[in-house]
Amino acid sequence: MKDRIDEQLHSRNIKPTAMRELVLKVLTDQKTAISLPELELKFEKADKATLYRTLKTFEENKLIHSINDGTASVKYALCRESCECYPEDLHVHFLCTVCEHTYCLNDIPVPKINLPAKFRLENVNMVVKGVCSNCYT
Amino acid sequence: MKDRIDEQLHSRNIKPTAMRELVLKVLTDQKTAISLPELELKFEKADKATLYRTLKTFEENKLIHSINDGTASVKYALCRESCECYPEDLHVHFLCTVCEHTYCLNDIPVPKINLPAKFRLENVNMVVKGVCSNCYT
DNA sequence: ATGCTGATGCAACCAGGTTGCAAAGTTTAT
DNA sequence: ATAAACTTTGCAACCTGGTTGCATCAGCAT
Ligand SMILES: [Mn+2]
Ligand SMILES: [Mn+2]
Ligand SMILES: [Zn+2]
Ligand SMILES: [Zn+2]
């Protein structure tokens, strides 16, 4: 288990500290994306700033990606093994208005957009809001 | 001028107060979307809470729509005359990473997405980040 | 004029995010 | 082995955008 975690960290050139292993473990166990405040709650006693910087490190090294779902807090989720966060790697996200969970729709790539002349695309954030299958009536 | 403004307010069932006229005037003159903090700066002396509530009223009545571009602050821009903010009315937004302006790409509708089974779509926020034509090198 | 309703202004508050700095831990050089 | 250099952590403080409670004010109906 720990081996697998450390391997993941190593593959993204992140030094495996105790804190980082714990955070990555939490992220791995998540089925939906998690925010910094939510992450704090996963620990008995953990420093917000450290978690914040851990997430930043993870994101900079493309171990995780951030999602702006329009709620108060940014969510984070693991990148796939092969992900380099290029526009063509991106997928759609889904925010359920009932359970408030944010899903990575890994199988749904962000559609290609034809921008006006002389607009250069670098990144895309596409979030669909609605009701998820768990909350479906 | 004022006639036009009041007409717009009236068409969305918003009582035309002095404050609202001023705010709508600012929004009309904007070429790019504007945030609450930016809106505050447009006035010599204006109350944040009032502006906040004005924007909320405008949004609830579909005179404006909000844009979550991933920056610290939510942006607002006028809806088109015919807009009812249904999913099929939505367009793509563009955040320039150089000038930091957020554009409504009114001519680019948000592409239709096929969600997984039993996911119901209610709304979509699609923001492209990159370099705009003004900042294009 | 009087009273009702909604809009405004002010102040205080809240939460997420961010930073400075010193202590602790790790790596590298001598 | 020891010291120096660098990285990570923990704590506290701070900033900012957003939000709310409440008293006052303006407009409209009676
Ligand atoms: Mn995702
Ligand atoms: Mn728009
Ligand atoms: Zn749900
Ligand atoms: Zn630009």
Side-chain angles (χ1 to χ4, degrees):
Chain A
M1 196 81 272
K2 178 163 178 306
D3 291 358
R4 180 86 194 85
I5 295 282
D6 281 0
E7 198 180 295
Q8 262 179 292
L9 289 172
H10 188 253
S11 77
R12 296 292 189 170
N13 293 307
I14 303 165
K15 276 198 256 178
T17 68
M19 198 69 239
R20 288 170 181 172
E21 286 164 353
L22 288 172
V23 171
L24 179 49
K25 179 72 171 53
V26 169
L27 288 166
T28 304
D29 293 347
Q30 285 286 320
K31 274 177 294 293
T32 51
I34 189 173
S35 67
L36 172 56
E38 284 162 356
L39 183 60
E40 270 185 271
L41 299 176
K42 294 276 179 182
F43 295 93
E44 196 65 32
K45 172 198 155 300
D47 179 50
K48 193 173 47 152
T50 303
L51 294 175
Y52 169 74
R53 286 186 277 231
T54 301
L55 289 175
K56 262 194 119 171
T57 302
F58 283 7
E59 188 179 14
E60 278 162 11
N61 292 280
K62 304 189 204 309
L63 179 58
I64 63 178
H65 58 281
S66 60
I67 307 148
N68 261 105
D69 59 11
T71 62
S73 56
V74 179
K75 305 290 193 306
Y76 299 88
L78 283 182
C79 287
R80 293 174 137 181
E81 196 89 15
S82 63
C83 175
E84 288 299 327
C85 294
Y86 296 135
E88 59 271 22
D89 289 328
L90 305 173
H91 52 265
V92 173
H93 291 99
F94 185 92
L95 169 64
C96 176
T97 53
V98 178
C99 64
E100 299 269 271
H101 283 129
T102 299
Y103 296 80
C104 286
L105 303 182
N106 278 305
D107 296 338
I108 308 187
V110 167
K112 196 165 166 5
I113 296 293
N114 281 315
L115 294 174
K118 297 196 170 183
F119 277 66
R120 191 167 60 233
L121 181 150
E122 288 172 355
N123 205 345
V124 184
N125 181 46
M126 184 168 190
V127 177
V128 176
K129 263 174 57 169
V131 182
C132 81
S133 55
N134 284 336
C135 301
Y136 191 86
T137 50
Chain B
M1 197 77 275
K2 178 164 176 307
D3 291 357
R4 180 87 194 84
I5 295 283
D6 281 359
E7 199 180 294
Q8 264 179 289
L9 289 172
H10 188 253
S11 77
R12 297 291 189 169
N13 293 307
I14 302 165
K15 275 199 258 179
T17 67
M19 199 68 238
R20 289 171 180 173
E21 286 165 352
L22 287 172
V23 171
L24 179 49
K25 179 72 171 54
V26 169
L27 288 166
T28 305
D29 292 348
Q30 284 286 320
K31 276 177 294 292
T32 52
I34 189 172
S35 67
L36 173 56
E38 284 162 357
L39 183 59
E40 270 186 272
L41 299 175
K42 294 276 180 182
F43 296 93
E44 196 66 32
K45 173 198 155 300
D47 179 50
K48 193 172 48 151
T50 304
L51 294 176
Y52 169 74
R53 287 187 275 233
T54 300
L55 288 175
K56 262 194 120 171
T57 302
F58 283 7
E59 188 179 12
E60 278 162 10
N61 292 281
K62 303 189 203 311
L63 178 58
I64 64 177
H65 59 280
S66 60
I67 307 148
N68 260 106
D69 60 11
T71 61
S73 57
V74 178
K75 306 290 194 306
Y76 299 89
L78 284 182
C79 287
R80 293 174 137 180
E81 196 89 17
S82 63
C83 176
E84 288 299 328
C85 293
Y86 297 134
E88 59 270 23
D89 288 328
L90 304 173
H91 52 266
V92 173
H93 292 98
F94 185 92
L95 169 63
C96 176
T97 52
V98 178
C99 65
E100 300 269 270
H101 284 129
T102 298
Y103 297 81
C104 286
L105 302 182
N106 278 304
D107 296 337
I108 308 187
V110 167
K112 196 164 166 5
I113 296 293
N114 281 315
L115 293 175
K118 298 196 169 183
F119 276 66
R120 189 167 61 234
L121 181 150
E122 288 173 354
N123 205 345
V124 185
N125 182 44
M126 184 168 188
V127 177
V128 176
K129 263 173 59 169
V131 183
C132 81
S133 55
N134 284 337
C135 301
Y136 190 87
T137 49

